[in-house]
Each structure stands twice: as structure tokens, then as C-alpha cells.
Amino acid sequence: MPTLTLTDLDSRTRPGDLFHPLDDGKLVCTACGHRCTLKPGQRGVCKIRYNLDGQLLVPYAYTAGVQNDPIEKKPFFHALPGTNALSFGMLGCDFRCAYCQNWFTSQTLRDDRATQNYRPTTPREICDVAIRHGSKTIVSTYNEPLITSEWAVEVFREARSRGLVTGYVSNGHGTPEVLEYVHPWLDLFKIDLKCFDEKKYNLLGGNFQEVLDTIRQVHEMGFWLEIVTLIIPGYNDSDEELNGIAEFLADVSPDIPWHVTAFHPNYKMDLTPATPVETLHRARNIGLSKGLRYVYSGNRPGEVGDSENTFCPGCRAVLIERRGFRVIRNRLGEQGKCPDCGGEIPGRWT
């Protein structure tokens, strides 16, 4: 596998679609909430989208990782439970989270320890791998998919033609333009709502309001949406922040699944302790108290009681029983209805 130099990275590009032209060769990139204004020769915050002589060039025709996993690992709990999803990713991110779980690919060009490996590929080859492994879904992840949306759409066009479902695992730092661009080709949208504090989002490298707006827009546009909050001790685990997140999500829709997941020491926060199970229980109880119908605890398989399971909010019957990323029992049919009371469970079940 070749090592990707900056020159080589720039050679694996094509003209981008997500931008507005300005005078004197300048342009505004609209792939993420930064809306970088770029003069000729300038790179965006993400480092991988850049202005070459008045033309926006964007990543194309490579992957930095391909992996077949249970769809529950993304995590999507209300989409094709018990099936496999093929994950693919590129390089780069518009955030700089000190606790990033995928820093090895997302922080390329910011951190010398991050990978610069890549593999040239085509949409057909990616979909061939998915079909060969029996995957039902193809998911853009590992780096921030919004900033590589042109490539993702090409992959998803091929995926749709072969009957595959498509998904994003994203930080949600989007724009109306990028959501409209991916809307015809994207089914599932997982967004990390990292905290509920504007100053903290600024330190992460993003805009808090842009993330909240994106979550609302994703829901309104009809993507299947699930939210994840990685609960980090001493960072975002206060009752105030957890209440803020839960109230916001319940206002958008009480049917949005909220995953409260455990942090494990990683990257630049390797001395921060892991999240106690008790904190996950507290976060879940807060979510349920604010009216959210589906709140799941994650990253501590077998330690969180029944909070990995899907319950009918009407009769409280267990519909999907899980342990970690493994579905043990699924009583929910393709119509997404509780077999006991007939209540409809929102999701993408077929």
C-alpha cells in the first residue's frame, strides 16, 4: 500500500461540486459548516479541499480504510438490525477532537502520527466487496464524510444501482447545500452530538449552532437519523449538558434514537478515565425523562443491563435483544410493528 504524500493526495482529486464562486478566483466551499473562503492556492480547514487557480479540487478515487462490520457498530440500531455494513473512508476532518476515536485517518495533515496510507479504488470495487461479504449497507465513515461528499455520492450511485442502503457517520457540521447534494443518494445519517456547549465546540474546531441546525434539517429531510454522544468524564457528563442534549433531541423528535456511549482513553486524552457504567445509566435516565423513546447505552457490552435492547414504547415488550454489536433476538418484522400490541417502531427495517 503506497504512502500518501501531499503531492500525491492532491493528484487524487477532481473538480468539486460544493462551492460558490467569488471574484478574483476566490470561492466559498459549502461542504461543511466552516464555509471556507479560499483564495487560489489556499486549503480549507479540512486540509484536503483546496482552490487551484480558481477551481475547487476535492478527494477522489481512493480509500484509507475498508471494513465489514455489524451495522450496530456504526451505531445504527433502527436500521436493518443484525445485518452487515461495509464501511469505507478517506482522509481528513474539519474538526480536531482531542479524543477522536478515528484520529489515525481523520487527523492526516495535522498530526504526523496519523496514517497517510491509501488504496486507489473505484465505486464498483467498493460495492463488489460489500456484495461479496453479504453487506446490505455501505457507510462512509473513518474520516468526516461531509468533506468528501463528492466521492461518497459516486460510491452511493453505484451502491443504489445494486440494491444497497447507504449511510453517513458524521460530526453533523453541515450546510443546507451539502445536505441537498447527498439527499438523493443517502439513506442513513448518524451524527455525533459531542456536547451541548458553544465554547467547547469552538475548541473542537466547529460551530455549535451549525450542528444543531444540521440535526434538525437531517430529520426534516427524511434521512433516518440516530444521534451518538460519547460521554467523557469531567468533560460533557454534567446533568446540565445531558439535559440540554436530551431536551433538544426530544424537541426535534422523541423518536430519534440517542446512543450514550462510554469513552475509553484514547489519542490526546489517554489519561482521562473510562466512563463508569453508572454515568451511562444516569444519561439514559435523563433522556427517557425528557420524553425520548429510544435511549441506548453503548461501549460497555453486557454491563449495562437491558439498555442495549429496543423496547416497544407502548407495551414495553422487548423487540430487539442485543449484546454489544450482536443481535441475539429480533421479534420486529419487516413492517416495523410490535408483534404484541401492533405499535409502529420508527426505523428502516427493510
Side-chain angles (χ1 to χ4, degrees), residues 172 179 208-218 220 248:
L179 296 183
F208 179 46
Q209 191 59 52
E210 295 286 358
V211 175
L212 298 186
D213 290 346
T214 297
I215 289 172
R216 287 192 181 276
Q217 291 163 11
V218 164
E220 290 169 0
F248 168 74

Side-chain angles (χ1 to χ4, degrees), residues 300-326:
R300 299 293 293 261
E303 300 181 66
V304 289
D306 60 7
S307 62
E308 297 176 297
N309 299 340
T310 297
F311 293 87
C312 174
C315 70
R316 300 307 299 165
V318 177
L319 301 176
I320 304 174
E321 185 179 355
R322 302 179 184 85
R323 183 183 175 92
F325 307 133
R326 183 164 61 93

Side-chain angles (χ1 to χ4, degrees), residues 40-254:
Q42 280 192 321
R43 295 180 177 274
V45 168
C46 64
K47 307 292 187 183
I48 59 170
R49 300 171 71 88
Y50 67 101
N51 183 339
L52 179 65
D53 299 328
Q55 184 176 59
L56 180 68
L57 294 182
V58 302
Y60 179 72
Y62 75 86
T63 58
V66 176
Q67 179 70 39
N68 195 58
D69 291 307
I71 196 169
E72 287 77 15
K73 192 175 181 179
K74 301 303 97 189
F76 287 112
F77 275 20
H78 286 232
L80 302 176
T83 65
N84 285 336
L86 187 84
S87 296
F88 73 95
M90 302 186 87
L91 297 169
C93 187
D94 60 324
F95 278 18
R96 51 177 185 271
C97 305
Y99 52 86
C100 180
Q101 308 291 292
N102 288 319
W103 68 271
F104 203 55
T105 50
S106 71
Q107 297 305 305
T108 293
L109 305 183
R110 287 201 188 98
D111 191 326
D112 291 339
R113 297 175 298 163
T115 186
Q116 291 187 339
N117 290 338
Y118 76 97
R119 187 182 299 279
T121 192
T122 67
R124 177 175 291 276
E125 288 171 340
I126 293 173
C127 293
D128 284 346
V129 175
I131 298 296
R132 190 160 60 244
H133 286 279
S135 296
K136 303 293 185 184
T137 307
I138 287 186
V139 179
S140 181
T141 179
Y142 302 140
N143 75 312
E144 173 48 50
L146 290 169
I147 63 173
T148 53
S149 284
E150 287 93 344
W151 171 240
V153 164
E154 292 204 28
V155 175
F156 291 164
R157 282 196 182 103
E158 176 70 17
R160 283 282 188 83
S161 75
R162 298 169 74 168
L164 296 168
V165 175
T166 61
Y168 263 10
V169 171
S170 172
N171 62 26
H173 195 231
T175 65
E177 292 93 332
V178 73
L179 296 183
E180 289 291 345
Y181 182 78
V182 300
H183 186 245
W185 308 104
L186 183 61
D187 301 302
L188 315 176
F189 218 124
K190 192 276 283 186
I191 292 179
D192 291 310
L193 184 50
K194 297 174 182 292
C195 57
F196 210 73
D197 183 277
E198 184 175 4
K199 290 182 180 179
K200 289 177 185 174
Y201 257 98
N202 290 340
L203 292 173
L204 297 176
N207 183 300
F208 179 46
Q209 191 59 52
E210 295 286 358
V211 175
L212 298 186
D213 290 346
T214 297
I215 289 172
R216 287 192 181 276
Q217 291 163 11
V218 164
H219 176 70
E220 290 169 0
M221 293 174 73
F223 298 100
W224 177 248
L225 171 65
E226 302 197 21
I227 300 293
V228 173
T229 301
L230 185 70
I231 309 295
I232 304 174
Y235 177 71
N236 62 354
D237 61 344
S238 69
D239 284 354
E240 180 182 4
E241 282 203 59
L242 296 174
N243 273 287
I245 293 172
E247 289 172 358
F248 168 74
L249 295 179
D251 183 62
V252 177
S253 171

